[in-house]
Amino acid sequence: MERKRVALVFFIALLTLSAAKPHVKQVYDGDTFSLSTGEQVRYIGVDAPEIDHQGDKSDFLAHEARVLNAKLVQGKPVRLEFDQERNDHHGRLLAYVFLENGDMVNEVLVRKGLARVLPNPPNLKYFSLLLDAQRRAMVERVGIWQKEPERPEHYYTGNSASYRFHRPSCRFGKAVSGRHRVRFESTYRAYWEGYSPCRQCKP
């Protein structure tokens, strides 16, 4: 009788722990979701195409990125791993998100071509892993990599301190110091090295 009671208590404890474990409550887009705790999470190190929630034109494959994100995490328990900085300027948690099978969702999105690498120094713990996934997606031309760049330039200016690249006419690109200035002959080469496009000039 005593053994049955102990087993019952143990089973109830397991159920309680399972119920208390945070799970994904709502997926907003390809790189953001909210937890059952009410906290919002932004995938760190990656950037998915933007959805225009005002009804205007969204980025190429933005809705497909959201669908994949939801398929991977919606309603499921996840494990968050943090880097040097725990929150962004919006107060969202910055995290590498792992499924119960061990897969990192950040990497899966990049590998499927539905997100690209977004270095965010000093948060570079998995930069090499994510860049390797991006390079494979680029070679295979999956997802966003099947689309040719719009309005290509003769060259682009990269900033090795921020891992951003710019059009030649961009004021932010012109302000890059000589020791941090990197020249790329194409957006492909910039992406291959893990640089992310400037949000102002949108190369």
Side-chain angles (χ1 to χ4, degrees):
M1 186 68 179
E2 183 64 25
R3 291 174 65 181
K4 288 184 178 180
R5 186 162 56 205
V6 171
L8 179 61
V9 170
F10 181 71
F11 179 69
I12 292 174
L14 283 177
L15 288 178
T16 302
L17 286 172
S18 177
K21 189 174 183 179
H23 62 272
V24 175
K25 183 178 181 180
Q26 182 177 359
V27 171
Y28 298 113
D29 51 32
D31 53 34
T32 315
F33 62 82
S34 64
L35 290 168
S36 54
T37 58
E39 297 170 296
Q40 290 193 2
V41 178
R42 170 68 164 80
Y43 292 115
I44 192 170
V46 305
D47 189 36
E50 295 291 330
I51 292 178
D52 191 310
H53 295 284
Q54 304 304 315
D56 291 330
K57 185 178 180 181
S58 298
D59 289 346
F60 178 56
L61 296 183
H63 292 283
E64 287 82 352
R66 183 190 180 281
V67 167
L68 176 59
N69 191 20
K71 181 179 179 180
L72 291 169
V73 303
Q74 183 72 55
K76 298 177 182 178
V78 292
R79 178 175 67 84
L80 306 184
E81 185 175 327
F82 303 104
D83 211 319
Q84 298 297 310
E85 298 172 325
R86 190 180 177 94
N87 300 90
D88 66 7
H89 60 281
H90 296 296
R92 299 175 299 187
L93 294 174
L94 292 171
Y96 304 103
V97 180
F98 291 85
L99 302 174
E100 288 191 312
N101 65 2
D103 286 347
M104 183 202 292
V105 182
N106 313 52
E107 181 187 11
V108 174
L109 290 167
V110 172
R111 182 66 184 87
K112 296 291 187 181
L114 291 175
R116 61 173 173 249
V117 173
L118 178 66
N120 185 23
N123 308 295
L124 301 173
K125 183 189 298 185
Y126 290 111
F127 174 68
S128 296
L129 178 72
L130 294 172
L131 181 56
D132 181 62
Q134 175 164 292
R135 286 174 172 175
R136 284 183 285 160
M138 292 173 70
V139 169
E140 295 173 12
R141 296 181 63 84
V142 297
I144 58 176
W145 305 112
Q146 62 189 280
K147 186 179 181 182
E148 296 295 330
E150 298 177 359
R151 299 187 298 122
E153 304 280 3
H154 293 297
Y155 71 92
Y156 300 86
T157 301
N159 185 339
S160 63
S162 65
Y163 283 91
R164 299 294 178 270
F165 71 95
H166 313 262
R167 293 182 183 276
S169 59
C170 179
R171 63 187 179 92
F172 295 106
K174 292 179 178 180
V176 178
S177 66
R179 68 190 182 98
H180 292 306
R181 184 180 294 268
V182 182
R183 183 183 173 111
F184 295 110
E185 300 305 317
S186 65
T187 57
Y188 190 93
R189 291 308 309 174
Y191 286 125
W192 188 263
E193 296 302 325
Y195 282 66
S196 187
C198 169
R199 293 188 183 276
Q200 296 299 316
C201 66
K202 299 179 179 179

